[in-house]
Amino acid sequence: MPTAPTQPEVRMIADSDSLDDLTDLLHRAYAPLAAMGFRYLATHQDVATTRRRIAKGECFLMFDGARVIGTIVVTPPSTPAPYCEWYDRPDVAVANQFAIEPEFQGQGFGSRLLNLAERRARELGAAELAVDTAEGAAHLIRFYDVRGYRHIGYAQWKQANYRSVILSKRLEAEP
């Protein structure tokens, strides 16, 4: 297993960043979920879909040198989301397309990106940050639960073969 970077760089996506590389990262990171039988969009989306999804918010990338090893998209509050009532609230930001390179999972890099997403959501005026995951992905639900996310409801996305759990966290003001 490669040595994990101690302080990977995190920044907003730039025009010069490769959407092909980002899409490939999403496929690798979501492959274990696909192996569990969950058809997340990120398991098979094409580059055009990656582009469309990041255009809805602010996409952050985590790098080990020149290699992208993580990503998260923060969609600001008041972004229309007619497919999910909770996401459509004017005080709720949404984090999605969240991925860490499989060889670096479980080492705190996902928590670092989620901390950034929570901070950025606060800066954008959100009182809540919401996420969703497959109802059967117990390990991911536990990850969010430990971080203070609570169960809000369910959604059935048209491209998914599972019911999603909607989770949300109240964002406290930073000291």
Side-chain angles (χ1 to χ4, degrees):
M1 176 152 73
T3 304
T6 55
Q7 284 299 326
E9 174 193 3
V10 178
R11 64 168 171 76
M12 199 170 298
I13 196 167
D15 290 340
S16 59
D17 291 317
S18 168
L19 293 185
D20 289 308
D21 290 349
L22 178 56
T23 302
D24 290 345
L25 165 67
L26 292 166
H27 293 171
R28 286 190 304 275
Y30 281 77
L33 293 161
M36 294 171 67
F38 300 122
R39 188 170 165 75
Y40 285 80
L41 181 56
T43 65
H44 61 278
Q45 71 189 40
D46 60 16
V47 172
T49 301
T50 301
R51 180 179 294 107
R52 187 175 66 252
R53 292 180 78 193
I54 65 176
K56 293 179 182 179
E58 297 178 354
C59 179
F60 295 91
L61 302 178
M62 179 178 276
F63 290 88
D64 177 23
R67 180 181 174 204
V68 177
I69 63 166
T71 188
I72 196 165
V73 174
V74 179
T75 304
S78 298
T79 300
Y83 50 86
C84 179
E85 187 175 311
W86 185 259
Y87 286 3
D88 206 25
R89 290 173 42 127
D91 61 337
V92 175
V94 178
N96 58 41
Q97 206 163 250
F98 179 23
I100 298 294
E101 188 70 56
E103 65 201 57
F104 298 127
Q105 291 176 6
Q107 299 178 39
F109 298 117
S111 290
R112 183 170 169 202
L113 279 179
L114 199 52
N115 288 341
L116 173 106
E118 291 169 4
R119 185 173 52 253
R120 185 63 187 135
R122 274 191 300 274
E123 292 169 357
L124 292 168
E128 299 263 350
L129 180 64
V131 298
D132 63 81
T133 194
E135 183 177 22
H139 66 292
L140 294 176
I141 294 168
R142 276 192 305 276
F143 170 77
Y144 291 116
D145 183 54
V146 166
R147 294 186 53 85
Y149 287 75
R150 69 198 186 287
H151 181 268
I152 296 297
Y154 298 97
Q156 181 64 56
W157 314 127
K158 65 181 176 182
Q159 77 280 357
N161 66 343
Y162 55 84
R163 184 167 77 159
S164 284
V165 177
I166 306 298
L167 304 157
S168 195
K169 180 178 181 177
R170 288 182 187 91
L171 301 173
E172 305 295 328
E174 284 194 300

